[in-house]
Every structure is written in C-alpha cells, then in structure tokens.
Amino acid sequence: MVRITEDLVRRRAEHNNCEIFSLEEISLHQQEIEKLEYLDKWCRDLKILYLQNNLIPKIERKCSPLTVNLLTPIGHGENNTENVSKLKKLEYLNVALNNIERIENLEGCEELKKLDLTANFIGELSSVESLKHNIHLKELFLTGNPCTEFEGYRQFVVATLHQLQYLDSKEIERSERIKALQDYPEVKQKIREQEQVYLLKRAREKEEAERRMQEKKDKKQKQMESKLGFDSPDSPQERENHQAEGDGEQETCRTVEDDEEDRRFWEEPTPYTPESRLETHRYIEEKRRAKDNTRESKKSEKPPWTLVTAEGKVLNVNVPKYLDTSLLDVDVQPTYIRVLVKGKPFQFVLPEEVKPDSSSAKRSQTTGHLAVTMPKAKEITLAKQKVSASVKHSDCDTLQKNARRSGKVEKLEVDPSKYSFPDVTKIIQEKERTGQGPIKLQPEKITEVKKSCVDFENDEDVPPLI
C-alpha cells in the first residue's frame, strides 16, 4: 500500500522550491495511492489537488477500530475527519480513475468550484445531494460512472444541484433546468429504483470477487504444500547430481509456467468492478516484485572473481572508471599489480619484475588518473648495442690508420643520384608587392639604369618607359 509521505510531497513540490507549508497546487497522480494522510496538516493553503489514476476506494470521514479508513492518518482517534474535508481553500479536486463508489464528505471544502470524478464506480446517484452544501461548485464530471447509464441521470443532477453550471463539460441552459425541476419528482423515483437494482448487482459482484479470491488463495496454498512435500533423493551425491542436471530444466519450466499464468490471467473475462481493478493491480505488483527478487538472487549468486588460474597464471581483470579514491586499494607484487574497487578487482600482469617496496601510487587531482610508479628489479643490458659500438670503434681505428698511411684526409661522399635534397630557397618565389591605395601612397618604383650607351642622359622630366 502506497501512502503519502512528506518526502513524496516535497518531491512533487519542485515548482514551489520544495516548500509545502505555502503550497497551493500539487499533483499526486499515478502513485498507486490507497491512503491519504497529513495533507490538511502540511498543505493548509492547497487550492488544486490532482489525485487521478490511483486506488482510492472511498472518502470516509471517521475511522473506527474495525474498519480501514483510507483518508485518516493511522494512530488518530475515531472522531478525526479525513484530510480532504479540512482543505477549506480547495477549489479543484481531481479524483478521476479511482475506485470511488459514493460521493460523500466534501462539505468541508467550502471553496470547491470544480470536481472531477470521471471513470469511477459511482452507482448511488442520489449521493450527489451531499454537494448541495458546496455553494461555489460550478463544474462536475461524472462521465464513465455506472450512474450515467441511469434513465434521467442528467435531469436529476441538474435539478438537485442548483449552483451547477456545467455537467460533463456541457453547459446547463436555463430551459433545461426549468424542465428538470418540473419533472424532478418522477425522475427521482426512477433513479431510486435503478439504484436498488444496481446495489443488488454490486452485492453479487462482491460475493463473486470474494469467492474468486478465496479460490486463488486455496490454490496457492496447495501449490506450496505440494512443493514442500516433494520427495527428493536421499543421498547427498544423488541430490547434487539431480540439482546439477535439473537447474536448466527448472528455469525453463518456471518461465513456461509464468507465461501460461499470464496468458490465463489476461484472457479470463472479468467484470469491470473495483475488485477486479484492484486485483489486476495486485497481480502486476506481484509479478514485478518476483522479477526484482529473481534479479537480486542472480546478482547474489555471481561466481567469485578468478584472478589466478589453477596452473598459477595471473589474469588481467578490468573495472569501471571514474571512482572515488577512498574506494581504491592498490597492491603491487613483483609480477603483477592489483587494484580493488568496492571489492571488484582490476589486475594487470607486468612484463618485467618490479620492486614493490619502492613503488608509489598517486592520483591526479585534475584528471583523476591513477599513476603507479614501479621501479624495475634489475636493469636490462642490451648485448647487441655493445657489440655494434665495439665494431664501430674498430672501424674508426682502421680508417684512421689508413688515412695516416696515405697522408690524405678521407671525406664522406654522397651520391647525388641516390640522395636529392630540394632547394629550400626556391620554394617560395618573391613577388613584387605594391599597395592598392591611392597613387600618392604607392611606393615609388626604383628602376636601374644600365649605361649601354655613352650618350645616355637621364632627364627627370621625361617619364620612364614601361
């Protein structure tokens, strides 16, 4: 049973900065609520309340020790009234898609202007007379209730509630109200007779629902007894062999049985009653809980991590990234390194032996990377490099000796046909750059005069030839 808690109300009051004492509107729809409590104490200024698509069966005023009150806090006295009737400033109440069968105990909502009871199970149409005290009520929604199928339903509601302006989203005209008042005695008598027929039908439906519930309980009890009385093999060896062979078959059979049960449940025709709606909800909740339990059991039955094989070979194991440093436990060994994170190992085999005592682990404060410094246990000597160095040294000695004998200095020669180097100076050619501004701002061109003739005279008044 889902109950209203202060945490739920605060989470639903995000638009009011999670403050509930000054809350004027709250939506508690689709929460599978069966019990309302403490709303009148936490949200005294509430004006709009959404409770559609829940499992509220009725609006009770008092709670007796032998009955379950769905709108009274547990532990309170018998004379305590339910929460909704104490909301004096409430203007809009939406309780559509619930299991309400009677309109009652809303007289305390003095400012109530709009009431939505769509798709409930209201069959006592005469219960709308309790809304006469809500003088500000302007809109009422009863679509989807059994009472809407009664003959004279609309005339009865219009004649009973004089303050009403809209019924099921349709405006009540003055002529319609006058007609309804004229025929009120006859319509009222018809409504009473139809109510009696409906109440008898509901009594039979309740008995049928109780009988079905009892049959299902007996069937489950027999199944449990048959499972407990199952004769298993006597010897431990036979029991282990039977369990090993039947694990896969048992899982398959369980899945097939669940599918068959689901098919029977959803294909079985049932009347649309509060009991069937509640039964459907219980069945879905039971299936969901069973899946969660199966998932949890599978998690708990995970095999232990294999870090070292039976032959003594160390394996590489990875873990997730982006974890807190306090969850890390680093263990450096000569041939491998192991990091435990919340019990999950990360293991890496090292290509060479290291010194565990001289190793250190640090984590970056900016990137979060874990850096482990591990000095090698011994230095690696490269024999090939030493041999090549000695060969080069002997070659140099021989070359020097030959140069001394010949008296000439040998130089390194490169064959230009095998090695060609580009001319870097000619990669980018110089271009004459001139300004694009006015003529006065352009730089003057300097022309070199080649004295090819002796009689050449440089006259500055004559423009140069281009």
Side-chain angles (χ1 to χ4, degrees):
M1 179 185 296
V2 179
R3 303 164 69 177
I4 295 179
T5 60
E6 184 177 354
D7 180 62
L8 175 62
V9 176
R10 289 191 182 278
R11 282 190 285 108
R12 289 290 182 170
E14 295 179 352
H15 59 283
N16 199 41
N17 296 326
C18 297
E19 296 180 357
I20 60 176
F21 69 93
S22 61
L23 192 63
E24 295 184 356
E25 178 181 351
I26 188 170
S27 178
L28 298 174
H29 65 286
Q30 296 181 352
Q31 296 295 318
E32 301 176 357
I33 296 173
E34 299 181 39
K35 188 178 185 63
L36 298 177
E37 46 191 0
Y38 308 125
L39 282 178
D40 60 325
K41 302 181 184 301
W42 298 333
C43 314
R44 294 182 178 272
D45 298 334
L46 206 60
K47 294 183 179 180
I48 300 175
L49 177 58
Y50 296 97
L51 291 169
Q52 67 269 25
N53 203 358
N54 284 292
L55 299 172
I56 302 171
K58 56 182 176 179
I59 305 174
E60 273 188 312
R61 178 176 293 276
K62 296 183 180 180
C63 177
S64 61
L66 300 178
T67 59
V68 179
N69 188 353
L70 297 175
L71 295 174
T72 305
I74 293 178
H76 288 245
E78 182 180 359
N79 296 326
N80 290 331
T81 57
E82 45 86 13
N83 290 279
V84 177
S85 66
K86 287 188 176 182
L87 299 175
K88 305 294 183 181
K89 299 182 181 179
L90 188 64
E91 298 180 1
Y92 176 34
L93 175 62
N94 190 336
V95 286
L97 290 168
N98 280 278
N99 295 342
I100 299 173
E101 298 187 58
R102 180 180 173 84
I103 304 173
E104 56 186 348
N105 302 326
L106 294 174
E107 298 86 351
C109 303
E110 300 174 355
E111 298 296 329
L112 187 62
K113 298 179 181 179
K114 185 177 180 180
L115 177 61
D116 194 345
L117 292 164
T118 304
N120 277 274
F121 298 92
I122 299 174
E124 298 184 43
L125 186 56
S126 59
S127 61
V128 298
E129 295 178 354
S130 62
L131 299 176
K132 288 182 179 180
H133 303 281
N134 304 98
I135 58 176
H136 299 288
L137 185 63
K138 304 299 180 185
E139 297 183 58
L140 178 63
F141 297 87
L142 292 172
T143 305
N145 287 273
C147 63
T148 58
E149 299 179 1
F150 293 173
E151 183 181 355
Y153 147 73
R154 185 174 177 87
Q155 294 87 337
F156 179 79
V157 177
V158 170
T160 302
L161 302 178
H162 301 169
Q163 76 277 22
L164 206 62
Q165 295 181 0
Y166 292 88
L167 177 60
D168 298 334
S169 301
K170 185 178 180 181
E171 185 179 2
I172 300 174
E173 299 179 357
R174 183 179 178 183
S175 59
E176 183 182 5
R177 191 182 303 277
I178 294 173
K179 178 64 175 176
L181 290 173
Q182 291 176 353
D183 301 336
Y184 182 70
E186 298 177 1
V187 173
K188 184 176 181 180
Q189 182 63 28
K190 290 181 181 179
I191 294 297
R192 296 294 185 185
E193 293 175 358
Q194 295 175 82
E195 281 183 353
Q196 294 300 324
V197 176
Y198 176 79
L199 292 177
L200 293 174
K201 178 184 175 183
R202 281 291 300 133
R204 291 193 299 268
E205 291 176 350
K206 290 179 181 179
E207 293 177 359
E208 182 67 19
E210 292 178 0
R211 185 184 61 80
R212 291 179 56 191
M213 291 296 296
Q214 189 62 34
E215 289 179 355
K216 290 185 177 181
K217 287 182 180 179
D218 296 341
K219 185 178 179 180
K220 288 184 178 180
Q221 185 67 23
K222 291 180 181 180
Q223 291 178 354
M224 294 296 296
E225 292 176 356
S226 62
K227 289 181 180 179
L228 293 175
F230 179 76
D231 295 331
S232 59
D234 296 332
S235 63
Q237 185 66 26
E238 292 179 358
R239 189 181 300 109
E240 290 179 1
N241 295 337
H242 178 75
Q243 182 178 2
E245 294 175 358
D247 282 343
E249 296 180 358
Q250 185 178 4
E251 185 69 22
T252 305
C253 293
R254 189 183 299 111
T255 305
V256 173
E257 290 178 359
D258 292 342
D259 295 341
E260 184 66 20
E261 185 181 0
D262 288 342
R263 186 185 64 79
R264 287 197 304 267
F265 180 82
W266 294 113
E267 290 182 357
E268 182 182 2
T270 55
Y272 182 63
T273 60
E275 292 79 16
S276 63
R277 186 169 182 262
L278 190 61
E279 181 183 359
T280 304
H281 167 72
R282 302 293 188 209
Y283 180 81
I284 296 174
E285 184 67 18
E286 182 180 354
K287 289 295 182 181
R288 184 187 63 80
R289 193 180 297 110
K291 289 182 179 179
D292 293 342
N293 294 337
T294 305
R295 193 179 297 110
E296 291 295 331
S297 62
K298 288 183 179 180
K299 288 182 180 179
S300 60
E301 293 175 359
K302 283 185 176 181
W305 292 90
T306 304
L307 303 179
V308 183
T309 61
E311 294 79 11
K313 182 180 179 181
V314 182
L315 302 178
N316 293 330
V317 183
N318 294 328
V319 295
K321 301 186 294 183
Y322 310 114
L323 296 169
D324 189 73
T325 307
S326 61
L327 304 176
L328 300 176
D329 184 12
V330 183
D331 182 18
V332 179
Q333 297 296 330
T335 58
Y336 66 92
I337 177 175
R338 180 183 301 168
V339 181
L340 295 179
V341 183
K342 298 172 62 176
K344 297 180 180 180
F346 164 79
Q347 187 166 282
F348 181 73
V349 181
L350 302 175
E352 303 175 19
E353 291 189 5
V354 298
K355 298 178 180 179
D357 299 336
S358 303
S359 302
S360 63
K362 296 182 181 180
R363 196 172 185 186
S364 174
Q365 297 181 354
T366 56
T367 61
H369 293 167
L370 178 65
V372 182
T373 304
M374 298 171 288
K376 297 180 181 179
K378 57 181 179 180
E379 296 182 356
I380 299 176
T381 57
L382 299 177
K384 294 181 179 180
Q385 293 181 0
K386 290 185 178 181
V387 172
S388 62
S390 61
V391 171
K392 289 182 180 179
H393 184 68
S394 61
D395 292 343
C396 292
D397 293 339
T398 54
L399 290 173
Q400 289 178 359
K401 290 179 181 179
N402 295 332
R404 289 174 183 174
R405 292 175 183 176
S406 60
K408 297 180 181 180
V409 180
E410 293 183 358
K411 297 182 179 180
L412 179 64
E413 295 181 358
V414 179
D415 188 359
S417 62
K418 297 182 178 179
Y419 303 95
S420 60
F421 298 93
D423 189 1
V424 182
T425 59
K426 296 182 180 180
I427 292 177
I428 300 176
Q429 298 180 359
E430 293 184 357
K431 296 181 179 181
E432 185 179 0
R433 299 180 181 178
T434 57
Q436 298 179 359
I439 298 177
K440 295 181 179 180
L441 298 179
Q442 293 183 1
E444 296 180 357
K445 295 182 181 180
I446 302 175
T447 57
E448 295 181 358
V449 179
K450 296 182 180 180
K451 296 183 179 181
S452 57
C453 300
V454 182
D455 299 336
F456 176 78
E457 291 182 2
N458 186 10
D459 191 357
E460 294 180 359
D461 295 333
V462 178
L465 298 175
I466 297 176

